[in-house]
Structures are given as structure tokens and as C-alpha cells.
Amino acid sequence: MSVLRLYCFAIGSLLIASIVMLGACNKPKNFKPNEGYGVGTPVPMGDGSPVVNSFKPTGGLPNTVVTLAGHSFDQALANNSVSINGMPGTVNSVNATQVVITIPANATTGKIVLKTGAATLTSTSDFKVLTGAVSTFYNLGANYVEHIAFDGIGNLYGENSNSVLEISLAGNLTIVAGANNGFKALWGIATSSNLGDVYVADRESFYIYRISSELGVLPFSGNGKQDYRDGFGNDARFTNPTGLAIDVQSGLYTTDTHRVRKIKIGQVTTIAGSDADGNIDGKGAAARFGSLSGIALDADGNIYVSDRKYLNIRKITPDGNVTTLAGSGTAGFADGPGASAQFTDPINIAVDPAGNILVADGDKSKPYFAIRMINKLGVVSTLLKSNSLTGVINGPTATASVNAPDGMTFDPQGNLYIANTGANIISKVTFK
């Protein structure tokens, strides 16, 4: 055999050996499709057996909706079941690549076990079922605030009818703007963590104001005349601007009686609704609202609003499509699926890190107050409740209370803050 042929033979042998070794390295090690799954587990190539690759969110309150992602699931709903730490949950929907489940109301932290067809899959990581404990974050004394929002460094801002207050990181309470700034009836606040500004809505002067540490109080949008008009800066007009929310691109959203408006770089546009009263789902101007109040956004850019006239919570997708998430329109405090659930006065809302919508609800005539939770599928449960007109009670959420709750907000750690307007106390709900 010539030297050249020997050389080619050696190179070929090395190449074949390398391919074999590479295949061995790429083969999943110690992976059994029906043994377990966890966040970030790679999807194996195999015999078509069902595999879960991840679940999201990885933690949340009872009744949170969780999506299991993977492949080869049995697509017959009746052939799927789920439990967490031994407690049966609900399989809401299934297709070949995902299973949507609801964490049971009595669940505790533990493994998610999915049975799909003949396969049983058990998570390698726990789903963290959160429990809450209420404490007093700040006693306002003779002061009060209705709505609250954190800035980017942890200062908390709140507003009442004609003043904007700040509770600093050091726990100092100061009035940063007051009636001498022209405020008439403030009812909504939002902060921009990027710009460090505070925005407030004045429903009687028909302005959105911007409060800057450098420039003070400035009209941000509107011209002081009551009307529905989209436009730039002071060409825009509002009828009754109330709730405020801000997105990660510093787009500002407000509820304006029958409309949901957006302000971006000074330009006001209508996302949904018209100048007509009603309770109609639809897209953009085809939708109808009654008396909008609270507003909040989730991580996917969906907008949620509360309607105090028609006693429901509506969802608006980024493209302006409006649907009713929960609320039958009949006053009450009934939990359950969205269409049958009841609210009495859904005055304000907030969205938790898992995508659940929290609603401040109450009736002073009973008296009865509650923080309600709506999961992504519209199922309503009660997180906190109370039947007292005096004070608040701290402790576990099962026994703690609220008092005429209104504004709510979350800090970056996922803790909830509630403005109890009946007690001048801001409560903190710590979840763990």
C-alpha cells in the first residue's frame, strides 16, 4: 500500500471515529422521558413518548394557571390529569405541545405530576405555591391616599384629591405637590422607573400632570376642556381621566369613562371604546364600557380595566380586542368562573408576577371588603376579606383583613401593597 493510500486510510478512520464520538456526546445522558421534567430541561429526540420541557410560571398563588410545554401529549382532554404535591388540579386544555393546568386551591409546594395517555411525568423541580402574610407598611395617621405606585428606587407615591405624597425609603412622609399646583380631583397615579417621573390624573381639570423632581408640576396631556379628542399634547382632551398605568416603554395608559387611552411621546390615541355607554365586547371603537376605573398591564402587554357600572373586569389585547374576563353584571361577592362571578364595586386592579389580576372590591353598606383574584382563565377567588369599618387586621391572609381598599401595587420582589382608605393604612402582603 502506498504512503498516500495509508495516509488517506488513517484520515478516514479518524473521521469515522470522530463522528461516532460526537454522536455519543450529543446523546442525552440518563434521560428517561417518563421520569421527570423541570424548567429548562432539553427536549430529547426519542421514540415519540410524551415529554414536558418546562412549566411557566414556576410559582404563584393557589388557582394560578400554569402552562406545561413539551411534545407528544395525548390530545384527548379526558386522557389527561394533573396533581401537585398529591392534590388534584385541573387540566384546562391540551394540544400536542402544551398542557394548560390550574393549581388547586388547597395545593402546597411540590412536584407537578402529569398523566397524559399511558405516560406519567413528574417534575424534577417544585412548583412554589405562595402563601401571604399581611403587615402594616405605613400608618398615614391623619393623611390618606387612594392610589399608590413605586418609583425605580423604592419610594412609594400616593395621591388623594388634591395632593401627591411620597413615602421615602427612609420612611419619611412628605407632600411633593398640593392644591396650589392647580389640582382639583386627583384620581390615578403612575411612575416611570426609566424617567423617574410621577404622573397623576385629574378628573375635574381634565389633565394628566407630570411631576418632575427637576421641573416640578407640568401639564403633560390635555388642555383643561372636557371632551374626547385624540391628538398631541394640549390638542388632546379628556372627559374623566382616572386610573393610570405605564408600560416598560414608558407608554402611559388611562381610563377615561367609556374609553381606554394611550399617551406615547405626547400623542394621545384611543385603544378601545367610544363616547357611547355600553357593555359590549369587540375591537377598538366597537367595544363599549360604562364607568371605567382601575387599569393595569401584564407582562405580555394586555390591558385590564375595571368597570364600576357594569361590575366586570375586561381584557384588552395589544391589538385592541376587548373581552369580558370576569363579572356577571349582578352585584355580589360570588367566586367562581368568570361569567358567574360577582363583584360589588371593582374599584381598582393590579396584576401579580404570575399574571393573576387582583381586584379591590367592597360595599360599605354591608360592610364587606375584599381583595379578589382572577386567574388568566377568568376564575375568581378571594384572597383577603373583612366586614369591619374600623382598622385592619394583620397576619396570614386567611385571617387578615382590609378596610375600604382602593389602590394596589407590587414591588420588584412581588410583594403587594394596598391602600386601605377606610383606615389610612398602607398594608403590605408578603408572599413566600
Side-chain angles (χ1 to χ4, degrees):
M1 185 180 295
S2 68
V3 172
L4 178 60
R5 296 177 71 180
L6 282 170
Y7 176 79
C8 291
F9 179 81
I11 292 297
S13 299
L14 286 171
L15 181 60
I16 292 171
S18 297
I19 292 172
V20 171
M21 290 178 65
L22 182 61
C25 290
N26 286 340
K27 184 178 180 180
K29 295 181 178 180
N30 301 322
F31 186 89
K32 296 180 181 179
N34 293 345
E35 185 176 76
Y37 60 89
V39 177
T41 301
V43 176
M45 302 299 294
D47 58 2
S49 298
V51 172
V52 174
N53 188 42
S54 63
F55 59 90
K56 184 179 180 181
T58 58
L61 292 165
N63 297 313
T64 292
V65 173
V66 177
T67 299
L68 314 179
H71 66 76
S72 305
F73 300 128
D74 188 320
Q75 297 182 60
L77 188 62
N79 294 338
N80 291 267
S81 64
V82 69
S83 64
I84 176 170
N85 205 21
M87 299 304 300
T90 302
V91 177
N92 304 295
S93 63
V94 60
N95 60 35
T97 59
Q98 72 176 28
V99 181
V100 178
I101 69 170
T102 298
I103 300 300
N106 54 355
T108 56
T109 296
K111 310 298 183 188
I112 299 176
V113 177
L114 172 69
K115 294 183 178 180
T116 179
T120 299
L121 307 173
T122 303
S123 65
T124 55
S125 56
D126 287 346
F127 180 89
K128 176 69 173 179
V129 178
L130 300 179
T131 58
V134 180
S135 60
T136 296
F137 174 72
Y138 204 90
N139 190 328
L140 295 162
N143 299 291
Y144 79 101
V145 296
E146 292 178 309
H147 311 100
I148 50 180
F150 278 102
D151 68 11
I153 61 175
N155 301 305
L156 184 66
Y157 293 86
E159 48 71 20
N160 53 41
S161 182
N162 56 20
S163 300
V164 179
L165 290 75
E166 176 193 18
I167 301 171
S168 70
L169 278 169
N172 298 317
L173 178 67
T174 57
I175 297 175
V176 297
N180 60 328
N181 295 109
F183 301 145
K184 291 182 179 180
L186 298 181
W187 215 87
I189 191 167
T191 57
S192 170
S193 58
N194 296 329
L195 301 176
D197 294 331
V198 179
Y199 299 88
V200 288
D202 193 325
R203 56 183 174 177
E204 289 190 7
S205 69
F206 319 116
Y207 277 112
I208 307 295
Y209 288 99
R210 172 190 170 199
I211 305 171
S212 166
S213 58
E214 296 178 353
L215 302 175
V217 179
L218 299 169
F220 179 68
S221 190
N223 65 3
K225 296 180 180 179
Q226 186 178 28
D227 196 3
Y228 284 126
R229 180 189 292 178
D230 290 344
F232 185 83
N234 60 9
D235 287 333
R237 294 183 184 179
F238 299 93
T239 292
N240 184 38
T242 50
L244 289 177
I246 198 163
D247 64 21
V248 293
Q249 288 84 33
S250 296
L252 189 66
Y253 299 78
T254 184
T255 48
D256 193 8
T257 310
H258 307 316
R259 295 188 182 192
V260 179
R261 322 282 294 278
K262 179 179 180 179
I263 310 167
K264 180 69 174 179
I265 318 177
Q267 181 71 33
V268 179
T269 56
T270 297
I271 301 296
S274 71
D275 57 358
D277 178 282
N279 185 32
I280 302 173
D281 291 341
K283 190 168 185 178
R288 296 288 184 269
F289 302 99
S291 180
L292 294 178
S293 177
I295 185 169
L297 285 83
D298 68 14
D300 297 321
N302 298 302
I303 305 164
Y304 300 89
V305 292
S306 61
D307 193 325
R308 298 177 73 183
K309 179 175 182 179
Y310 293 109
L311 307 179
N312 57 24
I313 308 299
R314 315 283 286 281
K315 176 182 178 179
I316 308 167
T317 59
D319 64 353
N321 190 49
V322 180
T323 55
T324 300
L325 182 66
S328 66
T330 301
F333 292 97
D335 290 341
S340 60
Q342 295 177 342
F343 302 97
T344 294
D345 185 17
I347 192 169
N348 230 307
I349 57 177
V351 178
D352 77 6
N356 300 304
I357 298 89
L358 300 183
V359 183
D361 194 10
D363 184 348
K364 290 183 180 180
S365 67
K366 287 190 180 294
Y368 188 85
F369 307 109
I371 304 297
R372 321 284 294 282
M373 186 189 105
I374 313 172
N375 70 17
K376 289 183 177 181
L377 297 178
V379 178
V380 179
S381 56
T382 297
L383 177 66
L384 276 162
K385 58 187 177 181
S386 150
N387 58 3
S388 172
L389 286 169
T390 60
V392 295
I393 298 172
N394 293 329
T397 52
T399 56
S401 70
V402 287
N403 190 329
D406 193 339
M408 298 179 291
T409 192
F410 283 89
D411 66 16
Q413 291 72 44
N415 302 305
L416 173 66
Y417 297 76
I418 304 166
N420 293 283
T421 62
N424 292 350
I425 287 174
I426 299 175
S427 293
K428 177 181 180 180
V429 186
T430 303
F431 296 105
K432 62 180 182 178

